[in-house]
């Protein structure tokens, strides 16, 4: 193998893949049977990029040649950029060798569309199949499905991959029509339906045959680009919530649009990346998945955008002060976890510890609560002077002046939330 | 560490000078600690001011009554069996491996607290100072273990063994052997803790032998391991470095976040951070 040439390809094809923010390796459940690799249920970040994102998988495109011309994508055919394509063997070798050195949890393979969707998808499936069957590789494999590929290939892909994703990229129909006129919103959703049906089918057959193969054990995910078109957070959250329910998605990723192409349909090249908005969307997404919030509680038609100054849980609490204070000693878990500054873990500790002890603000702090926020919303067995602020008209300003510095540097927060 | 101030161990262990404190000193091994716990019960010291210290942390003070407790495998087993009935031994061992000078005493007090309350799961009382201290150390050890799973970087050697050096803050090698053995079942590997001077080794030709401790390794492996690189090794290191350079999105660079996730002390053995 010519390693210099491979280094060039790797550089080009890693570069082109980096805007896909998903890097999760969680939810895998493969057990090693004498070969290489084992999944870690919670996933492992083996490194971090200088922008602070987790590096868990070898995330590359198979090729950045593409017959389509989606305005938001660096691989679009009209973009003047260096092009490259791997062979199946090269991707397999890189994955194996990186995995052996404990650099990665596995492979995340996506691709531009060359020739036609099936031709491309067939290559991706072949990489996964070779790794699994010839190299006995049990690490994590995430394949991005190619819009327009046949159902047969989608079905085969799920037998070798731990996760499949279909990136919606542009959340609204009108946005997609504007930026990717060759694509169609409904066609993009169709593969999600196929994958979902397969998952259900395979689950059923496993009930009868214990050794029936698993189909995408880590489920499917999707990604939205944020800020390339005029979509509202309300539209995004509704769509996410719809996807979580209808297709049982494991994750929705939000990728703040990085302006890198000039095109009059797109935000100006000097527009900053909407990092705070992206962070707020992840926080809102967490509220839906782990905190029992409904999409409409977080944003609605009257307030279609997330509050950039406050995290969405705090914003909700400020709009709904009638639910507070929450009595830390007696309130049900579901309410404790809605207190700003108290996360899922802390809420569980509180519910556990209060059976032994009467809790104080100090205890909350010990257990990991952000007391500087929580203190305005909780009732204790002793009077809590901070509650005086709660019903004041200028509560928002009070909070802002006292907690602002905390939010100033709030840039990414893909994992560190609340 | 301000968040721990309320339960600062040095606070809650302060005593009047008139108080005679007993210090049980054990050899630093888990068996030694179990023997010390046995000793405390045997000699009815449980309700008196008592510290348990590892020999390597212990500094003599003439105010204390110091007892060197000898290891006793029998007694240790008896304590362990009793603990297994009421506490998670995993919790105890993880906290123990933090090597924190105070942890042996905190653990002892949790044991006492548990034995006093046999029908409650006392480790769930996150508001109790000793439980809190032990939980905090479990968390730290768990985090270090996770980081080792992430940051170990194997280098392929001419001997056909994948070799990695690590410098963990806590003694976590005993907690990661199984993980690596399962994952890298078809290659031989050796992870060496340069701080504590020992390693764990897995031979894929002899999987039944499992993960073995290893103390003696060729000195030059530690000082000049490049000499042992296989032909392929530098190539894949270069490729990994190239990959790492190209995954960063320049518009989003955030050094503070980067370092918070991947503290500098780990960089020394990370291929992708070499020369940075
Ligand atoms: S089809 Fe995919 S790779 Fe091709 S231009 Fe559109 S988004 Fe980019």
């Amino acid at each position: 193998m010519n390693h210099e040439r491979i280094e060039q390809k790797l550089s080009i094809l890693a570069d082109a893949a980096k805007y896909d923010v998903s890097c999760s390796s969680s939810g895998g459940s493969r057990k090693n049977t004498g070969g290489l690799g084992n999944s870690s249920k919670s996933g492992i970040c083996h490194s971090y990029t200088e922008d602070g994102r987790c590096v868990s998988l070898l995330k590359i495109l198979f090729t950045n040649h593409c017959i389509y011309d989606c305005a938001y994508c660096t691989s679009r055919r009209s973009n003047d950029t260096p092009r490259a394509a791997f062979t199946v063997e090269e991707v397999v070798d890189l994955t194996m060798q990186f995995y052996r050195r404990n650099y990665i949890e596995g492979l995340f393979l996506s691709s531009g569309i060359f020739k036609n969707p099936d031709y491309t998808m067939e290559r991706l499936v072949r990489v996964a199949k070779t790794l699994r069957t010839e190299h006995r590789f049990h690490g994590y494999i995430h394949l991005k499905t190619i819009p327009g590929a046949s159902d047969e290939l989608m079905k085969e892909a799920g037998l070798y991959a731990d996760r499949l994703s279909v990136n919606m990229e542009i959340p609204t129909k009108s946005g997609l029509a504007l930026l990717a006129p060759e694509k169609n919103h409904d066609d993009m959703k169709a593969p999600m339906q196929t994958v979902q049906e397969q998952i259900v089918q395979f689950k059923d057959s496993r009930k009868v045959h214990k050794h029936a193969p698993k189909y995408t054990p880590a489920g499917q995910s999707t990604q939205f680009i944020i800020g390339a078109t005029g979509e509202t957070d309300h539209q995004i959250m509704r769509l996410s919530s719809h996807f979580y329910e209808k297709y049982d998605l494991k994750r929705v990723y939000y990728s703040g649009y990085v302006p890198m192409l000039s095109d009059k349909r797109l935000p100006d090249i000097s527009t900053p990346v909407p990092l705070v908005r992206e962070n707020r969307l992840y926080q809102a997404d967490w509220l839906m998945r782990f905190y029992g919030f409904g999409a409409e509680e977080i944003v609605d038609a009257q307030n279609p955008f997330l509050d950039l100054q406050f995290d969405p849980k705090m914003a909700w609490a400020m709009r709904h002060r009638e639910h507070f204070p929450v009595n830390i000693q007696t309130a049900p878990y579901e309410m404790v976890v809605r207190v700003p500054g108290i996360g899922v873990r802390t809420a569980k500790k509180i519910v556990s510890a209060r059976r032994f002890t009467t809790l104080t603000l100090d205890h909350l702090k010990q257990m990991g609560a952000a007391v500087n926020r929580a203190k305005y919303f909780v009732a204790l067995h002793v009077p809590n002077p901070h509650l005086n602020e709660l019903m004041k008209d200028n509560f928002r300003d009070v909070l802002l002046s006292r907690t602002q510095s905390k939010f100033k540097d709030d840039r990414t927060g893909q994992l560190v939330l609340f | 560490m301000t968040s721990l101030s309320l339960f600062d161990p040095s606070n809650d262990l302060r005593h009047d000078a008139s108080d005679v404190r007993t210090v049980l000193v054990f050899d630093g091994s888990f068996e030694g600690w179990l023997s010390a716990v046995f000793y405390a019960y045997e000699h009815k010291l449980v309700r008196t001011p008592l510290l348990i210290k590892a020999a390597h942390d212990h500094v003599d003070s003439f105010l204390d009554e110091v007892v060197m407790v000898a290891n006793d495998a029998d007694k240790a087993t008896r304590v362990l069996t009793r603990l297994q009935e009421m506490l998670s031994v995993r919790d105890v061992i993880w906290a123990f491996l933090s090597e924190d000078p105070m942890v042996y005493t905190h653990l002892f007090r949790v044991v006492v607290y548990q034995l006093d309350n046999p029908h409650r799961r006392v480790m769930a009382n996150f508001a109790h100072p000793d439980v809190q201290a032990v939980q905090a150390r479990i968390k730290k050890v768990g985090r270090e273990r996770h980081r080792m799973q992430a940051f170990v970087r194997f280098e392929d050697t001419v001997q056909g063994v994948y070799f990695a050096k690590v410098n963990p803050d806590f003694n976590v090698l005993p907690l990661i052997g199984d993980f690596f053995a399962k994952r890298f079942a078809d290659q031989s590997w050796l992870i060496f803790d340069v701080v504590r001077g020992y390693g764990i080794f897995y031979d894929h030709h002899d999987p039944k032998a499992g993960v073995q401790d290893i103390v003696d390794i060729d000195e030059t492996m530690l000082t000049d391991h490049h000499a042992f690189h296989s032909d392929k090794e530098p190539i894949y290191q270069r490729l990994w470095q190239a990959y790492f350079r190209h995954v960063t999105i320049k518009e989003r660079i955030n050094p503070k976040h980067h370092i918070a996730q991947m503290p500098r002390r780990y960089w020394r053995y990370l291929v992708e951070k070499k020369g940075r």
Side-chain angles (χ1 to χ4, degrees), chain A residues 7 15 18 32 37-38 45-50 53 59 93 100-102 105 278 352 366 409, chain B residues 3 124 149-150 152-153 182-183 186-187 233 236 238 243 246-248 252 254 256 258 272 276:
Chain A
E7 187 174 332
D15 228 312
K18 71 187 174 193
N32 195 356
N38 211 359
C45 295
H46 285 272
S47 194
Y48 289 87
T49 63
E50 282 168 24
R53 286 172 311 136
K59 180 162 48 176
D93 182 66
R100 287 200 179 288
R101 288 164 177 74
N102 203 39
E105 284 297 288
E278 178 192 288
S352 169
Q366 300 301 322
D409 203 15
Chain B
S3 68
Q149 292 172 346
V152 157
R153 293 288 179 265
K182 278 203 193 101
R183 173 163 289 216
D186 73 343
Q187 71 191 40
E233 185 52 31
Y236 288 105
R238 264 191 68 148
Y243 176 72
H246 287 275
V247 285
T248 294
R252 303 177 59 123
N254 186 348
K256 221 174 97 185
H258 178 60
E272 63 270 28
R276 305 227 167 190

Side-chain angles (χ1 to χ4, degrees), chain A residues 66 68-70 72-73 75-76 111-113 183:
Chain A
C66 194
Y68 285 93
D69 205 32
C70 309
Y72 48 83
C73 176
S75 301
R76 67 175 185 177
S111 186
I113 303 174
K183 285 182 178 169

